[in-house]
Amino acid sequence: ICLVSNDGNSLLEVYSHVQTRGSIPLHWSSPASVKEYRPRVYIGVDPEVQARGLRDHLLGELWWYSSSSSSPSSSDVAAAVGDKRRAASEVDKVGAKIAMVNLIDKHGDQGRLGRAFDSVLSAVLEVYGEDGNRKRTSSRKHKDKQEELTQQRNHPYLGPGSVEHIWYDFHAECKGGRWDRLGNLLEQTTPALDEQGYFCAVPSTDSNAGGDNDDDDDSW
C-alpha cells in the first residue's frame, strides 16, 4: 500500500504485509472430469513423503518471507542454504510466523483433505519442532562442534507456535449471504496478524527537517 501526496508527485508512506495464496501443501490431486460436477480428491498415502514435503514447504516460506532470514555465512552453497533455513526457523520463536488460513469445506472430499493436512501438520510440528530436533541431534553423546553444526544445518527446526492452522469453512459459515460472519474469521486471524506486524517505510526528506523538498533526494 502506497500513500502519495494530493498532487500525486510525492510518495509519503509505504506499507506491506506478505500474503501468499495456493493449494493445500500436500501431495494430492483432483483430476478434472466432464462426468462429475465435483471431481474426486486423491490424497497421497505415504506419510513420510507428505511430512517431508510439508516441512520443506514451511521452511521455504520462512526462508523467503520471514524477517529473520539472514545472509549466508559460508561460501559453500549447501551449508549457506542450511544456515539460512536454520536461522529463519529459529529466530523469534514466540508467535505464529505463518498463519495458514484454510477455507475449504469440512465435509466430503474437501473435509478429508483438510483433516489430512491438519494431521500431517501436527506430526511435522511434533517431529521437526525444537524438542524433536534436539533428540535427533543429541542421539550421539560425543560430537565435535563441526559435526553438531552439520546436524543443525541438515535438521532445521520449526519454532514452537511458528505455524498456525485456521480452518474456516467458508461455504458453511457464509451460507445465505451471511457475509457478516467473516468477522469470526477476522477474530481468529487477528492474534497472528498482530504478532507478525507489518512493514512501514517513510521517506526522510529535506522538508521534514525544514528545508526544501526535492523528490530526487528522498531517503528511507
Side-chain angles (χ1 to χ4, degrees):
I1 300 176
C2 299
L3 301 182
V4 298
S5 60
N6 291 333
D7 58 14
N9 293 325
S10 300
L11 186 62
L12 302 180
E13 299 176 10
V14 176
Y15 294 89
S16 175
H17 182 272
V18 176
Q19 297 183 19
T20 60
R21 183 179 183 273
S23 300
I24 285 183
L26 292 181
H27 293 277
W28 64 278
S29 64
S30 182
S33 172
V34 296
K35 297 181 180 180
E36 296 179 288
Y37 177 70
R38 292 185 177 180
R40 294 300 307 272
V41 174
Y42 301 93
I43 305 172
V45 297
D46 189 328
E48 292 187 3
V49 171
Q50 295 282 31
R52 284 197 298 267
L54 180 56
R55 177 205 61 178
D56 290 344
H57 171 75
L58 295 174
L59 289 174
E61 292 291 293
L62 291 171
W63 178 11
W64 287 111
Y65 301 113
S66 174
S67 60
S68 61
S69 296
S70 59
S71 299
S73 58
S74 171
S75 58
D76 181 77
V77 175
V81 170
D83 284 340
K84 194 170 184 182
R85 287 174 58 177
R86 179 166 56 86
S89 64
E90 292 179 357
V91 178
D92 300 328
K93 299 175 185 177
V94 179
K97 288 186 291 184
I98 297 180
M100 311 188 82
V101 181
N102 175 6
L103 302 178
I104 66 175
D105 299 345
K106 290 188 175 182
H107 61 274
D109 276 1
Q110 290 191 19
R112 287 194 304 111
L113 182 59
R115 289 189 294 273
F117 171 66
D118 194 63
S119 177
V120 175
L121 177 61
S122 297
V124 166
L125 294 179
E126 179 179 354
V127 174
Y128 296 105
E130 184 175 4
D131 292 339
N133 186 78
R134 185 182 295 113
K135 291 178 182 178
R136 290 195 304 275
T137 57
S138 302
S139 58
R140 294 177 58 182
K141 295 182 179 180
H142 304 288
K143 298 193 300 289
D144 58 28
K145 291 184 178 181
Q146 183 61 39
E147 182 179 359
E148 184 175 359
L149 181 59
T150 301
Q151 287 277 5
Q152 291 176 348
R153 284 170 175 164
N154 293 336
H155 300 284
Y157 65 83
L158 296 163
S162 61
V163 181
E164 180 181 5
H165 177 208
I166 301 172
W167 191 353
Y168 184 84
D169 188 336
F170 176 81
H171 291 127
E173 294 289 341
C174 300
K175 185 178 181 179
R178 291 295 307 275
W179 309 121
D180 59 294
R181 295 182 63 85
L182 288 172
N184 298 333
L185 176 59
L186 181 60
E187 290 181 3
Q188 295 180 56
T189 56
T190 293
L193 294 173
D194 288 341
E195 182 68 34
Q196 292 169 355
Y198 56 88
F199 170 82
C200 174
V202 179
S204 176
T205 64
D206 291 338
S207 62
N208 292 338
D212 295 332
N213 184 9
D214 185 349
D215 291 338
D216 294 334
D217 293 331
D218 286 356
S219 59
W220 296 79

